[in-house]
């Protein structure tokens, strides 16, 4: 292989290795594998079997990367990296005869966003989402839209999941977001704290399908806000 071509291959490989480390993305990691496989294929260009195997591996990794990236774009929320509303709709169709749905809203988020800016607001959304995915009781978190989130509890009743939601609410309230110092300030500006309100509804004779349960959870969320926020209502 010509030295210039070899140098270009090595530079591209190093570039994607650094990019995969910085972004911590599976796509970049697989691209490193694709480049390495193509490079290996060219080294064995006179061996038809080895050449075909390495090129096939490169093509397979590329196809897998495209499929997984397309899935992420369609079903994962870009900001918080948790399942999106589209994924929620599909999960709702799979629920059985017993389940509970919780609707979560970040308290006074609009005022918080206006005061500290959208960048800080986005970071707080990611922080809250990271706590929601850790909820116990078999719950699965989704971003519903804006500052609202949804948690599904398949096979669980309200009484079974209430302690987990109370623990979640408390965990969010005591976890502060550390603001990055601005260019005009040399010191850190301290921590910011947010709280969440939670509304819960269970499938029952009154709430017969997932649309009714979602509406019931939304009404319960409204009651939580009327109670003063930072609480769980059913």
């Amino acid at each position: 292989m010509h030295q210039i071509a070899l140098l270009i291959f090595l530079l591209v490989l190093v570039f994607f290795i650094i990019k995969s480390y910085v972004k911590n993305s599976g796509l970049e990691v697989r691209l490193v594998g694709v480049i390495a496989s193509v490079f290996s294929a060219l080294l064995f260009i006179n061996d038809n079997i080895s050449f075909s195997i390495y090129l096939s591996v490169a093509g397979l990794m590329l196809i897998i990367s495209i499929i997984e990236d397309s899935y992420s774009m369609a079903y994962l929320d870009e900001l918080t990296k948790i399942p999106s509303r589209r994924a929620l709709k599909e999960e709702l169709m799979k629920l059985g005869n017993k389940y509970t749905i919780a609707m979560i809203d970040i308290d006074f988020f609009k005022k918080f966003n206006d005061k500290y800016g959208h960048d800080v607001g986005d970071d707080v959304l990611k922080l809250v989402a990271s706590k929601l995915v850790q909820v116990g009781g078999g719950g699965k978190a989704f971003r519903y839209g804006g500052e609202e989130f949804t948690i599904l509890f398949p096979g669980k009743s309200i009484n079974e999941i209430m302690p987990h939601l109370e623990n979640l609410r408390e965990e969010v309230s005591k976890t502060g977001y550390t603001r990055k110092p601005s260019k005009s300030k040399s010191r850190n500006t301290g921590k910011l704290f947010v709280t969440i309100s939670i509304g819960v509804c269970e499938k029952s004779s009154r709430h017969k399908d997932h649309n009714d349960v979602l509406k019931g959870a939304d009404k319960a969320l409204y009651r939580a806000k009327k109670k003063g926020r930072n609480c769980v209502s059913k």
Side-chain angles (χ1 to χ4, degrees):
M1 185 179 292
H2 197 280
Q3 287 186 346
I4 295 178
L6 181 61
L7 179 62
I8 292 173
F9 259 112
L10 291 175
L11 288 174
V12 171
L13 187 62
V14 171
F15 170 76
F16 277 105
I17 290 174
I18 295 173
K19 191 176 180 183
S20 65
Y21 177 78
V22 173
K23 294 186 69 176
N24 194 24
S25 168
L27 177 63
E28 273 73 24
V29 172
R30 284 184 288 273
L31 286 177
V32 171
V34 170
I35 295 168
S37 295
V38 172
F39 178 73
S40 299
L42 293 177
L43 290 178
F44 292 93
I45 195 168
N46 293 322
D47 184 344
N48 291 334
I49 296 177
S50 298
F51 180 75
S52 300
I53 290 173
Y54 282 116
L55 276 188
S56 298
V57 170
L60 184 61
M61 284 192 290
L62 192 59
I63 291 170
I64 292 173
S65 297
I66 293 171
I67 293 173
E68 289 192 354
D69 198 45
S70 299
Y71 176 85
S72 297
M73 290 175 63
Y75 291 98
L76 291 181
D77 179 62
E78 185 178 1
L79 177 66
T80 61
K81 305 303 180 185
I82 68 173
S84 64
R85 191 168 180 173
R86 183 172 182 177
L88 171 64
K89 289 181 179 179
E90 292 202 3
E91 287 293 324
L92 288 171
M93 303 301 293
K94 302 175 186 176
L95 293 173
N97 293 321
K98 183 180 180 181
Y99 59 87
T100 301
I101 297 177
M103 294 291 291
I104 298 99
D105 186 83
I106 301 177
D107 297 329
F108 302 112
F109 183 73
K110 188 179 184 304
K111 292 181 180 179
F112 183 92
N113 220 15
D114 292 341
K115 182 176 181 179
Y116 297 106
H118 292 287
D119 289 341
V120 174
D122 287 348
D123 286 342
V124 169
L125 284 171
K126 289 187 281 188
L127 176 68
V128 172
S130 70
K131 295 300 177 183
L132 297 185
V133 297
Q134 298 175 23
V135 66
K140 185 175 182 180
F142 301 82
R143 188 178 181 191
Y144 195 76
E147 68 271 25
E148 283 192 322
F149 298 86
T150 305
I151 301 179
L152 300 184
F153 293 91
K156 300 291 183 178
S157 66
I158 285 183
N159 292 334
E160 288 176 304
I161 59 100
M162 282 296 284
H164 300 290
L165 292 176
E166 286 289 357
N167 289 338
L168 173 66
R169 179 197 60 76
E170 185 177 351
E171 182 66 23
V172 171
S173 68
K174 68 182 183 182
T175 302
Y177 165 70
T178 304
R179 282 187 290 170
K180 298 175 183 177
S182 63
K183 294 180 180 178
S184 60
K185 296 180 180 180
S186 58
R187 293 186 302 172
N188 196 286
T189 50
K191 286 188 175 182
L192 301 174
F193 292 87
V194 294
T195 60
I196 57 174
S197 297
I198 305 175
V200 194
C201 185
E202 179 183 0
K203 186 182 185 301
S204 62
S205 57
R206 181 182 176 187
H207 303 96
K208 297 182 178 180
D209 58 36
H210 61 261
N211 289 321
D212 292 336
V213 181
L214 274 173
K215 290 177 182 177
D218 203 45
K219 290 179 180 179
L221 175 61
Y222 180 73
R223 291 194 293 272
K225 291 180 180 180
K226 288 193 70 175
K227 288 180 181 178
R229 293 178 167 83
N230 191 25
C231 64
V232 183
S233 179
K234 56 182 179 179

